[in-house]
Amino acid sequence: MANFNRITATLTEKKELAPLIHLITFMLNSPIQFEAGQYITLKIPSGNEIFDRPFSIASPPSENNSFQLLVKLIPGGLASTFFENATIGTSIEVSGPDGAFHIKHTDRSIHLVASSTGIAPFRSIIYDLLKTKNFLLPLELTFIVPPQEGMILKEELDMLKKEHANFSFTVIEDTASFFSLLNEYKDKDFYLCGGQHFVQDINSYLAKKSVDAERIHFEKFA
Ligand SMILES: Cc1cc2nc3c(=O)[nH]c(=O)nc-3n(C[C@H](O)[C@H](O)[C@H](O)COP(=O)(O)OP(=O)(O)OC[C@H]3O[C@@H](n4cnc5c(N)ncnc54)[C@H](O)[C@@H]3O)c2cc1C
């Protein structure tokens, strides 16, 4: 996979999807290659230094002249302040793509479990599987949206469900609801993405239910 080490990306759209959650589009001068699920690293300048902040690519690899990020703003955070202040035309250096979080087996049913902006790599993965790879096995998404954050991407997910009979999604408010809803563990691969505690909790739960470690894949945001 080609590496687009340190290129300049220019912000072309910033859309507020919910309070503190933005979908941000960057254009690139030359096309990039990445696998759905990977992340890029933003080089955020602060004083005389440059700080790295990784963000999962939320758009599919088929859109290779641009990329989108789904960003949750952390008040006072370095990258968050950059995103808050950035306007159309703001440029930033990025490096990557990096990461081994991508779909390992396309011949197995898939259950994606996201918390908050942990849905970012899954947005890329879902579009890639359904629109590019013609994936026809069951593809399930459980999306944990804490009530204080507000639902995002509902129209898109509804549309994908309407267009693809093998895709389904459930929106819940917390990890405990996931445990009570899940009753089928066998014959599918789990992919988890979100904060560290969320990933740890779900991973240990699945392990207790005897899901083989080889069938559990995750990306932790912190
Ligand atoms: C592989 C990878 C992919 C990622 N992809 C995404 C993504 O797609 N979307 C996204 O929004 N973020 C993503 N993150 C997290 C992102 O890299 C930053 O950590 C996050 O945006 C905060 O950065 P910041 O510079 O604004 O805050 P910082 O300046 O790093 O931190 C400010 C303060 O906020 C705390 N803090 C940091 N992160 C969080 C958090 N999530 N919740 C609460 N407090 C926090 C810190 O401990 C610190 O006290 C990803 C992280 C990894 C490792």
Side-chain angles (χ1 to χ4, degrees):
M1 185 66 52
N3 199 287
F4 61 94
N5 222 353
R6 285 187 92 104
I7 56 169
T8 302
T10 304
L11 192 152
T12 54
E13 196 179 4
K14 191 162 119 178
K15 218 190 225 176
E16 187 179 72
L17 302 186
L20 299 181
I21 301 188
H22 288 79
L23 180 65
I24 300 177
T25 308
F26 288 92
M27 288 303 292
L28 297 162
N29 293 334
S30 50
I32 56 168
Q33 269 189 298
F34 62 95
E35 275 193 78
Q38 287 193 295
Y39 66 87
I40 51 104
T41 300
L42 265 63
K43 307 279 177 189
I44 313 273
S46 178
N48 292 330
E49 289 184 73
I50 304 279
F51 294 88
D52 286 353
R53 289 291 185 278
F55 287 90
S56 297
I57 303 173
S59 45
S62 55
E63 292 167 19
N64 61 3
N65 282 307
S66 63
F67 63 85
Q68 290 183 307
L69 305 180
L70 255 174
V71 176
K72 179 176 170 185
L73 302 181
I74 311 293
L78 188 66
S80 304
T81 305
F82 165 79
F83 285 122
E84 258 176 324
N85 296 335
T87 52
I88 307 300
T90 297
S91 289
I92 180 95
E93 266 196 86
V94 300
S95 70
D98 290 299
F101 190 62
H102 55 84
I103 297 299
K104 313 285 185 221
H105 299 278
T106 48
D107 57 349
R108 296 180 180 179
S109 300
I110 293 172
H111 193 146
L112 313 171
V113 191
S115 173
S116 182
T117 49
I119 196 155
F122 295 150
R123 183 171 182 259
S124 178
I125 283 170
I126 291 167
Y127 277 105
D128 189 49
L129 285 173
L130 296 178
K131 303 286 182 199
T132 305
K133 300 210 159 89
N134 194 28
F135 182 80
L136 295 172
L137 291 171
L139 174 61
E140 234 176 312
L141 166 72
T142 302
F143 188 13
I144 301 177
V145 181
Q148 70 277 12
E149 279 191 9
M151 179 61 186
I152 58 168
L153 305 176
K154 185 172 184 315
E155 278 174 24
E156 271 187 47
L157 294 171
D158 280 337
M159 183 61 77
L160 286 163
K161 190 173 165 181
K162 210 183 271 182
E163 290 170 353
H164 299 271
N166 61 324
F167 174 65
S168 60
F169 73 95
T170 311
V171 181
I172 55 175
E173 291 189 353
D174 50 32
T175 311
S177 312
F178 175 72
F179 299 151
S180 58
L181 280 176
L182 189 69
N183 50 26
E184 185 49 69
Y185 309 94
K186 298 260 174 277
D187 302 324
K188 59 180 175 180
D189 284 5
F190 287 89
Y191 292 82
L192 324 173
C193 185
Q196 193 168 358
H197 295 299
F198 156 80
V199 169
Q200 273 163 5
D201 289 351
I202 305 259
N203 196 7
S204 341
Y205 181 81
L206 293 175
K208 267 190 224 142
K209 294 286 177 187
S210 306
V211 176
D212 196 330
E214 181 262 333
R215 285 189 176 267
I216 310 171
H217 312 277
F218 51 80
E219 184 82 288
K220 292 180 191 169
F221 274 5

